[in-house]
């Protein structure tokens, strides 16, 4: 039973990692990345690495989300013509 | 489902299976390497810290921790050199009244968590790094909720830079005590720091001091990176 839960967590880990890369839209991608960090935290706690789990939770889900959202909100979207982009 | 979604699902399952095999191999292979076995059996006696991870990070391998702290210092210096001269915008008003009120009532309890993590670094999981990052996140929270004008006036960039530099100097000073006492750089119990009784709050020699210093250093460094990010003009990607 415990092993099934662990494998489910690992599948969720890979799904959220792929989602963070493939999803269009910066904010959604960042939120999925923080979900990835939460799943990683649970896996670390599962493996009795509580110190690492705490660091992952604080950095991955807390600080990285804040810094990424700040970076996205400080940048502007540039509209380009399709011709220009293809070059 | 499209073929792309199928491909993603298959890749996910395959990667998860591979990860499970590798992890279960790593977990069930129970024999410890000699160095790890030494840490587990003698760690509490050598460092007086019942959290062995803290004992390794701040006693056996304290010099490596100093290297990590230097990496953060270099990163902060590089980022603030990039953004030097730009000022923090004061146009942000923060979140709504309801959020501001509730956060102002809860802020005291929010401060309690990193303080607990740092103070109990040698007793329970956590330590200076984790507590310091949550302090930095707290400073980010105050800036987001109350607006950058209020936040950056209460905890300014200048204060953070001072705290960063002073705590870096304090780390090296604690290490130098070991040299003066004849125990080597960053020596803990052999340099005469009192061991106390393992498990009590005041114990483990220099480890609580180093935790405090690292907590202040990480918090001020990461928070000043955040301030650098929100300062200056909006830029096009």
């Amino acid at each position: 039973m415990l092993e099934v839960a662990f494998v489910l967590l690992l599948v969720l880990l890979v799904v959220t990692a792929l989602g963070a890369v493939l999803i269009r839209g910066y904010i959604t991608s960042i939120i999925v990345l923080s979900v990835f960090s939460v799943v990683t935290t649970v896996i670390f706690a599962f493996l009795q690495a509580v110190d690492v789990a705490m660091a992952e939770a604080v950095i991955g889900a807390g600080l990285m989300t804040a810094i990424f959202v700040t970076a996205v909100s400080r940048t502007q979207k540039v509209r380009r013509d399709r011709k220009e982009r293809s070059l | 489902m499209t073929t792309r979604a199928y491909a993603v699902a298959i890749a996910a399952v395959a990667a998860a299976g591979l990860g499970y095999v590798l992890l279960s191999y790593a977990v069930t292979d129970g024999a410890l390497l000699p160095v790890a076995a030494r840490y587990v059996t003698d760690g509490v006696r050598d460092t007086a810290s019942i959290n062995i991870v803290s004992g390794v990070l701040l006693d056996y391998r304290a010099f490596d921790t100093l290297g990590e702290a230097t990496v953060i210092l270099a990163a902060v210096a590089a980022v603030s050199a990039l953004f030097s001269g730009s000022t923090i915008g004061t146009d942000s008003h923060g979140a709504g009244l309801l959020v501001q009120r509730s956060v102002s009532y809860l802020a005291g309890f929010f401060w309690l968590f990193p303080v607990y993590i740092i103070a109990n670094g040698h007793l329970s999981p956590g330590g200076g790094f984790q507590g310091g990052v949550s302090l930095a996140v707290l400073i980010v929270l105050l800036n987001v909720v109350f607006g950058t004008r209020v936040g950056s006036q209460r905890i300014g960039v200048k204060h953070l830079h001072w705290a960063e530099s002073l705590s870096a100097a304090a780390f090296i000073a604690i290490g130098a005590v070991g040299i003066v006492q004849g125990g080597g750089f960053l020596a803990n119990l052999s340099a005469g720091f009192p061991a106390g009784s393992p498990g009590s709050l005041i114990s483990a020699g220099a480890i609580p001091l180093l935790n405090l210093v690292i907590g202040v250093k990480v918090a001020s460094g990461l928070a000043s990176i955040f301030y650098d990010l929100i300062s200056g003009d909006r830029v096009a990607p």
Side-chain angles (χ1 to χ4, degrees):
Chain A
M1 186 58 216
L2 221 56
E3 299 212 329
V4 174
F6 192 61
V7 172
L8 280 179
L9 279 174
L10 288 173
V11 171
L12 197 59
L13 191 71
V14 178
V15 168
T16 48
L18 284 171
V21 178
L22 295 178
I23 284 176
R24 299 181 70 82
Y26 293 125
I27 298 295
T28 323
S29 185
I30 291 167
I31 298 300
V32 173
L33 194 62
S34 79
V35 173
F36 169 84
S37 282
V38 171
V39 177
T40 318
T41 304
V42 177
I43 287 175
F44 281 142
F46 221 106
L47 297 172
Q48 301 186 2
V50 193
D51 289 76
V52 191
M54 195 175 280
E56 178 66 36
V58 170
I59 295 172
L63 190 74
M64 289 318 286
T65 311
I67 284 186
F68 278 151
V69 169
T70 313
V72 166
S73 74
R74 296 298 297 175
T75 49
Q76 284 173 335
K77 215 167 200 173
V78 176
R79 291 201 175 278
R80 283 200 194 95
D81 291 335
R82 292 210 165 177
K83 272 184 187 172
E84 203 179 329
R85 184 175 285 172
S86 65
L87 287 174
Chain B
M1 276 173 32
T2 59
T3 47
R4 181 171 143 177
Y6 275 120
V8 167
I10 290 169
V13 172
L18 184 66
Y20 179 72
V21 169
L22 291 174
L23 275 175
S24 60
Y25 176 75
V27 170
T28 52
D29 189 25
L32 293 173
L33 292 171
V35 180
R38 163 83 198 273
Y39 290 156
V40 169
T41 53
D42 297 347
V44 176
R45 194 198 65 204
D46 286 347
T47 69
S49 157
I50 58 171
N51 178 13
I52 296 178
V53 178
S54 271
V56 172
L57 282 177
L58 297 173
D59 188 325
Y60 291 116
R61 295 275 179 264
F63 193 66
D64 296 5
T65 307
L66 178 62
E68 287 179 38
T70 314
V71 167
I72 295 180
L73 189 73
V76 172
V79 172
S80 59
L82 274 179
F83 289 93
S84 68
S86 52
T87 50
I88 296 173
T90 54
D91 54 335
S92 122
H93 298 290
L97 181 71
L98 203 59
V99 180
Q100 289 194 348
R101 280 287 102 194
S102 45
V103 168
S104 67
Y105 289 132
L106 289 171
F109 298 102
F110 288 167
W111 286 107
L112 212 55
F113 176 72
V115 169
Y116 175 88
I117 296 284
I118 294 174
N120 286 291
H122 55 301
L123 305 177
S124 58
F129 191 70
Q130 289 90 335
V133 177
S134 38
L135 264 181
V137 173
L138 200 52
I139 294 173
V140 173
L141 175 82
L142 292 182
N143 272 290
V144 168
V145 170
F146 295 104
T148 50
R149 193 170 43 144
V150 179
S152 62
Q153 272 176 357
R154 294 285 165 84
I155 305 162
V157 184
K158 278 231 170 81
H159 307 147
L160 293 176
H161 285 172
W162 272 105
E164 167 97 24
S165 313
L166 283 180
S167 51
F171 195 111
I172 296 174
I174 293 172
V177 170
I179 297 180
V180 173
Q181 298 280 333
F185 189 59
L186 283 167
N188 185 12
L189 297 185
S190 59
F193 284 107
S197 62
S200 62
L201 188 62
I202 312 270
S203 68
I207 292 181
L209 289 176
L210 289 176
N211 262 325
L212 179 67
V213 165
I214 291 172
V216 172
K217 187 169 155 36
V218 168
S220 51
L222 294 179
S224 68
I225 285 183
F226 170 74
Y227 276 136
D228 286 332
L229 275 182
I230 62 173
S231 69
D233 302 324
R234 278 170 174 257
V235 288

